Amino acid sequence: MSSRPLHVTFVCSGNICRSPMGHVILQHMVDDAGLTDHVRVSSSGTGDWHVGEHADPRTVEVLARHGYDGSRHRAREFDPDEFDDIDLVLASDEGHVRTLTRLARTPGNRGKIRLVREFDPEAVAAGTLETGDPWYGDREHFARCFAEVEAACRGILHHVRAQVDGRFVDQVETPVGSRGADRDRHTDPGQP
């Protein structure tokens, strides 16, 4: 079993609005949960328009308003060569899913791609799984985007914690025929 951290990455268009929100919020939650050594969080965009730039000032502002620091973020473009080192690729909308699916070279890598809001039970129940791009909007659009991403990050943290716990269980030798050897591994009740 690999000892490398579980790698979760958020992807949007330019890596200045939606994906930095996910990156900063989930990293904060991972740190608070004591999982920093076990989970790596990153983000990127499907395009190179903003590479090297800070997050959109409205993103930094809405994060700060809720106690998160997005000031150190620098935009980067998604690199398909990273797929093998990523465990979960979180796309903001269906357009990103299509782009990432084209970039993924194997069925295993395509299977890592999910929509961010798939991890928010209320979004799943409502059938609203895409995170709208706030870039063309105003402060209200950024506030709504933040609320959607933060709600999803709670579910993502739950999912990631289960994956990390599963890794620890897998590393423990279980006697043949014992109850633990027959259990389903890496399941996450309530997740699609």
Side-chain angles (χ1 to χ4, degrees):
M1 175 54 76
S2 171
S3 61
R4 74 168 177 81
L6 190 76
H7 186 180
V8 178
T9 194
F10 291 83
V11 180
C12 68
S13 298
N15 194 215
I16 59 169
C17 297
R18 293 170 284 181
S19 58
M21 283 187 200
H23 184 168
V24 169
I25 294 167
L26 185 62
Q27 185 66 63
H28 185 89
M29 291 179 176
V30 162
D31 294 346
D32 281 355
L35 296 172
T36 308
D37 292 340
H38 305 289
V39 180
R40 177 179 171 218
V41 184
S42 65
S43 66
S44 58
T46 56
D48 63 358
W49 312 283
H50 301 287
V51 169
E53 294 178 17
H54 292 274
D56 186 292
R58 297 166 294 180
T59 297
V60 176
E61 191 270 332
V62 74
L63 286 167
R65 213 165 53 234
H66 294 278
Y68 299 99
D69 181 9
S71 65
R72 291 186 302 271
H73 175 79
R74 295 297 178 276
R76 57 184 292 273
E77 185 178 9
F78 183 81
D79 180 353
D81 291 337
E82 295 177 3
F83 257 119
D84 290 339
D85 296 320
I86 299 171
D87 300 285
L88 183 60
V89 182
L90 296 165
S92 296
D93 63 36
E94 291 289 353
H96 303 128
V97 169
R98 288 189 295 275
T99 298
L100 290 164
T101 300
R102 282 193 305 271
L103 295 172
R105 296 183 185 107
T106 66
N109 285 340
R110 286 187 288 277
K112 298 174 183 181
I113 303 165
R114 306 273 296 271
L115 285 165
V116 171
R117 297 192 73 202
E118 286 182 42
F119 293 89
D120 176 359
E122 290 185 19
V124 171
T128 55
L129 298 181
E130 293 189 288
T131 309
D133 190 351
W135 194 77
Y136 293 103
D138 56 19
R139 191 175 185 195
E140 179 183 324
H141 291 87
F142 277 81
R144 182 173 58 241
C145 182
F146 171 87
E148 291 173 355
V149 172
E150 188 181 48
C153 281
R154 291 187 194 102
I156 295 163
L157 180 67
H158 176 77
H159 175 80
V160 166
R161 187 191 309 268
Q163 298 299 303
V164 169
D165 290 348
R167 282 183 170 191
F168 286 132
V169 169
D170 286 347
Q171 291 176 7
V172 176
E173 288 187 1
T174 309
V176 175
S178 74
R179 187 169 166 235
D182 297 327
R183 71 171 179 77
D184 290 331
R185 295 176 192 251
H186 304 294
T187 57
D188 192 358
Q191 297 301 327

